[in-house]
Amino acid sequence: MDKSICTVALNIFPGSELTSFKKHLDIFEQANLKVIHHSIHDYRPTLEAWFNRLVANQTAAIELVGVQNYNKYQCYLAEAWRLFNDRDLMLMRFVLKKP
Protein backbone atom coordinates (compact mmCIF):
# COMPACT_ATOMS: atom_id res chain seq x y z
CA MET A 1 0.00 0.00 0.00
CA ASP A 2 1.14 3.52 -0.76
CA LYS A 3 2.66 4.95 2.43
CA SER A 4 1.79 8.54 1.48
CA ILE A 5 -1.93 8.04 2.13
CA CYS A 6 -1.21 6.23 5.37
CA THR A 7 0.81 9.19 6.64
CA VAL A 8 -1.71 11.76 5.45
CA ALA A 9 -4.74 9.74 6.63
CA LEU A 10 -3.29 9.25 10.11
CA ASN A 11 -2.79 13.01 10.31
CA ILE A 12 -6.43 13.57 9.38
CA PHE A 13 -7.92 10.56 11.21
CA PRO A 14 -5.64 9.66 14.14
CA GLY A 15 -6.06 6.07 15.25
CA SER A 16 -7.57 4.95 11.95
CA GLU A 17 -6.42 1.82 10.18
CA LEU A 18 -6.65 0.89 6.52
CA THR A 19 -7.64 -2.76 6.22
CA SER A 20 -7.69 -5.28 3.40
CA PHE A 21 -10.84 -6.96 2.09
CA LYS A 22 -9.53 -10.31 3.33
CA LYS A 23 -8.95 -8.96 6.82
CA HIS A 24 -12.52 -7.67 6.92
CA LEU A 25 -13.85 -11.08 5.91
CA ASP A 26 -11.67 -12.82 8.53
CA ILE A 27 -12.94 -10.49 11.27
CA PHE A 28 -16.57 -10.97 10.20
CA GLU A 29 -16.09 -14.74 10.32
CA GLN A 30 -14.48 -14.58 13.80
CA ALA A 31 -17.44 -12.51 15.00
CA ASN A 32 -19.86 -15.06 13.51
CA LEU A 33 -21.26 -12.51 11.05
CA LYS A 34 -22.41 -13.43 7.57
CA VAL A 35 -21.94 -11.06 4.64
CA ILE A 36 -25.29 -10.83 2.88
CA HIS A 37 -24.26 -7.99 0.55
CA HIS A 38 -21.12 -6.06 -0.32
CA SER A 39 -20.49 -3.43 -2.94
CA ILE A 40 -17.72 -1.18 -4.18
CA HIS A 41 -18.47 2.53 -4.47
CA ASP A 42 -16.65 5.20 -6.47
CA TYR A 43 -15.50 7.71 -3.86
CA ARG A 44 -13.74 9.99 -6.38
CA PRO A 45 -16.74 12.28 -7.03
CA THR A 46 -17.08 12.91 -3.29
CA LEU A 47 -13.38 13.68 -2.88
CA GLU A 48 -13.40 15.91 -5.96
CA ALA A 49 -16.42 17.86 -4.71
CA TRP A 50 -14.85 18.37 -1.28
CA PHE A 51 -11.55 19.48 -2.87
CA ASN A 52 -13.29 21.92 -5.22
CA ARG A 53 -15.37 23.40 -2.40
CA LEU A 54 -12.28 23.79 -0.22
CA VAL A 55 -10.40 25.58 -3.01
CA ALA A 56 -13.43 27.76 -3.81
CA ASN A 57 -13.60 28.79 -0.15
CA GLN A 58 -9.86 29.14 0.40
CA THR A 59 -9.92 32.54 2.08
CA ALA A 60 -12.70 31.64 4.52
CA ALA A 61 -11.13 28.24 5.26
CA ILE A 62 -7.72 29.75 6.01
CA GLU A 63 -9.31 32.37 8.25
CA LEU A 64 -11.18 29.61 10.08
CA VAL A 65 -8.44 26.96 10.52
CA GLY A 66 -5.17 28.52 9.34
CA VAL A 67 -3.04 27.92 6.27
CA GLN A 68 -1.35 24.79 7.69
CA ASN A 69 -4.66 22.95 8.23
CA TYR A 70 -5.99 24.21 4.90
CA ASN A 71 -2.91 22.84 3.10
CA LYS A 72 -3.11 19.54 5.02
CA TYR A 73 -6.68 18.91 3.89
CA GLN A 74 -6.01 20.08 0.35
CA CYS A 75 -3.13 17.58 0.09
CA TYR A 76 -5.16 14.81 1.73
CA LEU A 77 -8.11 15.20 -0.64
CA ALA A 78 -5.89 15.31 -3.75
CA GLU A 79 -3.81 12.31 -2.66
CA ALA A 80 -6.88 10.30 -1.64
CA TRP A 81 -8.46 11.00 -5.06
CA ARG A 82 -5.29 9.80 -6.80
CA LEU A 83 -5.22 6.58 -4.76
CA PHE A 84 -8.88 5.84 -5.51
CA ASN A 85 -8.28 6.67 -9.18
CA ASP A 86 -5.27 4.30 -9.29
CA ARG A 87 -7.37 1.67 -7.46
CA ASP A 88 -4.90 1.53 -4.59
CA LEU A 89 -7.87 2.26 -2.31
CA MET A 90 -11.49 1.19 -2.57
CA LEU A 91 -14.58 2.04 -0.58
CA MET A 92 -16.52 -1.10 0.25
CA ARG A 93 -19.85 -1.34 2.00
CA PHE A 94 -21.00 -4.46 3.78
CA VAL A 95 -24.38 -5.62 5.00
CA LEU A 96 -23.89 -8.19 7.74
CA LYS A 97 -26.21 -10.59 9.52
CA LYS A 98 -25.75 -12.46 12.74
CA PRO A 99 -27.05 -16.01 12.15
Side-chain angles (χ1 to χ4, degrees):
M1 174 169 297
D2 192 316
K3 292 192 185 293
S4 62
I5 193 62
C6 294
T7 302
V8 174
L10 288 175
N11 242 344
I12 303 292
F13 306 108
S16 63
E17 181 180 324
L18 299 174
T19 307
S20 70
F21 179 70
K22 182 182 179 335
K23 187 169 182 178
H24 276 92
L25 295 179
D26 291 345
I27 291 168
F28 299 154
E29 185 177 322
Q30 290 171 12
N32 196 29
L33 296 169
K34 181 180 177 182
V35 177
I36 57 173
H37 174 79
H38 77 276
S39 56
I40 299 172
H41 293 270
D42 188 355
Y43 204 52
R44 293 173 302 170
T46 300
L47 292 165
E48 183 178 13
W50 288 348
F51 179 87
N52 289 339
R53 286 186 67 193
L54 181 62
V55 170
N57 292 285
Q58 178 181 7
T59 302
I62 290 172
E63 287 175 5
L64 186 64
V65 299
V67 70
Q68 186 175 2
N69 273 331
Y70 172 83
N71 288 340
K72 179 171 67 171
Y73 277 87
Q74 190 179 36
C75 290
Y76 164 73
L77 293 169
E79 181 64 6
W81 187 93
R82 182 191 68 79
L83 289 164
F84 277 96
N85 193 57
D86 292 349
R87 296 182 185 241
D88 289 329
L89 289 177
M90 294 188 319
L91 175 65
M92 300 207 59
R93 294 184 182 161
F94 298 94
V95 177
L96 306 171
K97 181 178 181 180
K98 186 132 182 128

